[in-house]
Amino acid sequence: MSRPLRVLIAEDKADDAELIVRELRRAGYAPDWVRVDTEADFAARLSPDLDVILSDYAMPEFSGLRALEVLHEHGLEIPFLIISGTIGEDTAVAAMKQGAADYLLKDRLARLGPAIHHALEQGRLRREGRQAEEAMRQSEHKYRHLFESLSEAAFLIECSSRRVVDANLRGEDLLGRNRAEILGMDEGDLFPSHESAENGCQLTKADAHGHLEEAAVVTKDGRRIPVQISVAPVDLYGRHLVLALMTDITERKALEARLLRAQRMESIGTLASGLAHDLNNILAPIMMSAPLLRRDLPPEVREGIVFTIETSAARGAQIVRQVLTFGRGLEGERTPLQLGELLAELRQIIGETFPKKIAVEVSSAPDLWPIIGDATQLHQVLMNLAVNARDAMPDGGTLRICAANFPMDQGHASLLPGAKAGPYILIEVTDMGCGIAPEIVDRIFDPFFTTKGVGKGSGLGLSTAFGIVRSHGGFIKVSSVVGKESCFQVLLPAAPSPAAGPDLATAAPATPVSRGEVLLVADDEETVRESTATVLREHGYEVLLAIDGIEALDVFSRNASRIAAVLTDVMMPKMDGLALTRALRKMQPGLPIIPTTGLGEEAQRAEWYALGVAKVLAKPFGADTLLQAVHEALRAPTGSRRPGE
């Protein structure tokens, strides 16, 4: 069957046109054709419906090259073939460079059929290519529209190279970088401050589908922004990519911090009676022993009294320090931790604050793996569980807390949604109390759910513990037998490498020797001021005293050439320690200054460091600590007193 072919023939000789049509039919085409020989007729007959144009090269009123120009002027892409009896090789090549599909000689029309077939096929391929390009442009436009319309900061990361290949406008805003700066970044560069460099955010790992994690990105100007990340694998244009969506959770973290602070204060409130009892036990031997020092006692008796006072004071200081740390909740930094040390601290505080009718047993494996975590938050988890256990045993009983290594296999991991096989630490908190009724076991981790009476708990303890454990990549579950016991199991991922612990073998430094330097001590508390002066004078220093910052400035201005260092309380009336330090820095920039504080105001530490103060002494401190701090401050090179040096 002949193939229909719509043809426009530009030819001044009718006989030559008939020969062309006859050859078309012989080649298997059924031509629907029209002949023109002027530019006006050619332009009038141009139509997108044409399949092919056949043109003579030279005509009296027209030419093939002009016909080709008119075709281009009309914006049509129709296969154009030149058929001539006189065209030379160079002319034909020039015509093809201008867009002609082919050229033929009139005395060799046998090649017309294959030439048209080839021209039609090339035209079809060009059209399909343009359609594919247009589809690609539309697809890219749709992709860009969807990508930019995402409410989260979005990044596309190539799995093979781990490089960022695209970022939306919210991603630019999050990082404070333009798209050109972001493209090509390694995925590790997105999290330069991630707490665990070895086990950090690996967004392109094979099991990334649905992967959720909290991390912190650092902006171009150095700000640290907490984000929650969700990832999913995508295939785009044949490339294996990961789509990472990041949500700024700064406000959420601030709200969580306030909620955790409130819950911590509630926990401290439940321990208040125990704290009062223990502090009274600490103060009693001090108050009874101190008056005895006025008597003429044998040296061994006097030494025993001094030892009692020292140990009692140290015990009280430790309790206050633990309560302050827990109450302030300075969470946020996740560092390598040894849970055995955390359990030892917990054992001390609950042993001193829980009723004596509750026996506390704490144990941990000697080779316990370290973890990466927030010490204050994990302390809160254990404290919440311990307080719940205490409340479950109103008539007394045994509270057991134990920790051990737990290599989780795939079978066990499959029982915990989201768990993966690997090394974990298992902490069990077991009480011999009333147990938990089966109908409420599934609700105990819900916020504000509590079985305690009004005023005896907010119901945030277990929900807070659950949230903290999950944020550490861990799991918490409970088993209970009504009337017998309850056991809470906390599973935390072990760290990839051992945490470096303190060097316990390091010997205590010898008491420094003074060179008779003059020191200025400013403190509004008379007993602290006089005790500090006594210790310093006993070790060879000359001491000048001031009761506040204003008096300290007056004393310093009159003795500036003699004073070698200043010790100042942070909180004083009229002028506090920070204001005093700023004033002293203007008067004598290199002067060693040692702040002392009973609260440890973390928010001010950056200001102290900016003023060149490398160390803040936390009250209460012993004589050795005081003398060592003074010695280090006096011996530090001028201008080099900076944090960490």
Side-chain angles (χ1 to χ4, degrees), residues 10-12 36-40 42 53-71 80-84 91 95 98:
E11 173 61 62
D12 61 315
V36 297
D37 57 7
T38 66
E39 180 177 336
F42 180 81
I53 297 174
L54 305 176
S55 175
D56 193 3
Y57 180 74
M59 294 173 280
E61 300 182 19
F62 200 29
S63 72
L65 293 183
R66 177 56 189 158
L68 193 56
E69 291 176 359
V70 173
L71 178 64
F80 188 99
L81 285 77
I82 290 181
I83 302 176
S84 175
T91 305
Q98 293 186 36

Side-chain angles (χ1 to χ4, degrees), residues 232-250:
V234 294
D235 286 323
L236 191 63
Y237 307 134
R239 303 169 74 181
H240 300 298
L241 309 171
V242 162
L243 173 63
L245 301 178
M246 301 185 192
T247 304
D248 186 341
I249 56 174
T250 301

Side-chain angles (χ1 to χ4, degrees), residues 27-153:
Y29 292 102
D32 176 9
W33 63 283
V34 63
R35 182 181 71 85
V36 297
D37 57 7
T38 66
E39 180 177 336
D41 289 343
F42 180 81
R45 294 287 185 173
L46 284 177
S47 167
D49 295 334
L50 291 171
D51 292 318
V52 67
I53 297 174
L54 305 176
S55 175
D56 193 3
Y57 180 74
M59 294 173 280
E61 300 182 19
F62 200 29
S63 72
L65 293 183
R66 177 56 189 158
L68 193 56
E69 291 176 359
V70 173
L71 178 64
H72 292 161
E73 290 170 359
H74 280 69
L76 298 176
E77 293 189 15
I78 302 170
F80 188 99
L81 285 77
I82 290 181
I83 302 176
S84 175
T86 60
I87 190 171
E89 190 80 16
D90 293 341
T91 305
V93 170
M96 293 185 68
K97 286 182 178 180
Q98 293 186 36
D102 206 345
Y103 71 93
L104 299 92
L105 297 176
K106 289 183 177 180
D107 58 355
R108 298 179 185 177
L109 288 179
R111 201 172 66 84
L112 180 60
I116 289 179
H117 175 77
H118 178 74
L120 293 175
E121 186 65 17
Q122 291 298 313
R124 181 185 67 80
L125 292 176
R126 282 194 298 272
R127 286 193 302 273
E128 290 180 354
R130 287 193 301 274
Q131 290 171 357
E133 290 176 1
E134 180 61 25
M136 179 71 75
R137 282 194 296 271
Q138 292 179 359
S139 175
E140 289 179 350
H141 177 75
K142 184 178 180 181
Y143 151 74
R144 177 54 55 185
H145 175 73
L146 292 173
F147 195 57
E148 293 296 348
S149 65
L150 291 170
S151 59
E152 301 95 342

